[in-house]
Amino acid sequence: DSPLAPRGNLWEVGVFGGLLFLSDRGDFRGSAERPIPDFTRPSPEFGLRVAYFPLAFLGLEVEGMGAAGRLEGGETDDGVAVWAARGHLILQVPTERITLFALGGAGRLGTHSDISGSDDDLAVHFGGGLKINVDPKVSLRLEVRDNITEAHPEADTPHHLEGLAGVSLVFGRPPEKP
């Protein structure tokens, strides 16, 4: 039994960063009189997460995220603050060094800007990636996700894509033997 392999009763606390590609199909506006936001480029994001794995292959994770984006607003671009609060189940293949995983869950995704006002919507998300177990107490994580929210009246389903990288402290593994 490797000290790096996932096991039951583990906790992970981590930080992450990445890029959020917000869709122009989302209905992120404070009221119907406000213009529909037009996101011009990917938004850099950062966040915190906490996970509990009662079983080696199954975990529950909650996280909060903040991002800074830009809206196209007539003659000049306008800044937009983006946030998310979400939770999800994680299914993983409990192997020693590299752990593949898939996740799915829900939460809220919101924006605030001078152009479109403040709004948040239910967001359902799913994705996958891999964790690299560096040592018994540290793992690196790479993943991609799709977030689906409410569409504005003239659009199809919006898909807000994310590419994330993070590092987590792992609690509950025995120390590696020399």
Side-chain angles (χ1 to χ4, degrees), residues 131-151:
K131 292 192 282 188
I132 302 164
N133 301 307
V134 177
D135 70 32
K137 303 278 185 220
V138 178
S139 69
L140 303 176
R141 182 163 150 175
L142 299 170
E143 66 188 278
V144 294
R145 288 191 195 169
D146 186 6
N147 299 272
I148 299 171
T149 62
E150 179 182 341

Side-chain angles (χ1 to χ4, degrees), residues 27 29 44 64 99 107 123:
D27 195 18
R29 53 188 172 158
T99 302

Side-chain angles (χ1 to χ4, degrees), residues 58-123:
L58 178 68
L60 176 65
E61 184 169 68
V62 293
E63 60 187 26
M65 175 275 286
R70 305 294 298 164
L71 293 177
E72 192 171 303
E75 296 188 17
T76 62
D77 284 355
D78 185 38
V80 60
V82 183
W83 63 270
R86 52 198 175 195
H88 41 259
L89 286 175
I90 300 175
L91 293 172
Q92 62 185 12
V93 179
T95 56
E96 184 177 353
R97 285 268 179 205
I98 297 177
T99 302
L100 300 175
F101 67 89
L103 59 81
R108 303 295 292 183
L109 181 62
T111 64
H112 172 78
S113 76
D114 292 338
I115 292 174
S116 61
S118 295
D119 188 31
D120 63 271
D121 291 331
L122 174 67

Side-chain angles (χ1 to χ4, degrees), residues 17-80:
L19 289 176
L20 172 63
F21 298 84
L22 287 164
S23 170
D24 293 340
R25 297 177 181 174
D27 195 18
F28 292 114
R29 53 188 172 158
S31 67
E33 294 79 35
R34 298 272 191 155
I36 295 167
D38 183 9
F39 299 98
T40 59
R41 53 186 159 278
S43 302
E45 69 175 287
F46 61 93
L48 302 171
R49 58 173 53 125
V50 176
Y52 175 64
F53 291 85
L55 303 170
F57 63 89
L58 178 68
L60 176 65
E61 184 169 68
V62 293
E63 60 187 26
M65 175 275 286
R70 305 294 298 164
L71 293 177
E72 192 171 303
E75 296 188 17
T76 62
D77 284 355
D78 185 38
V80 60

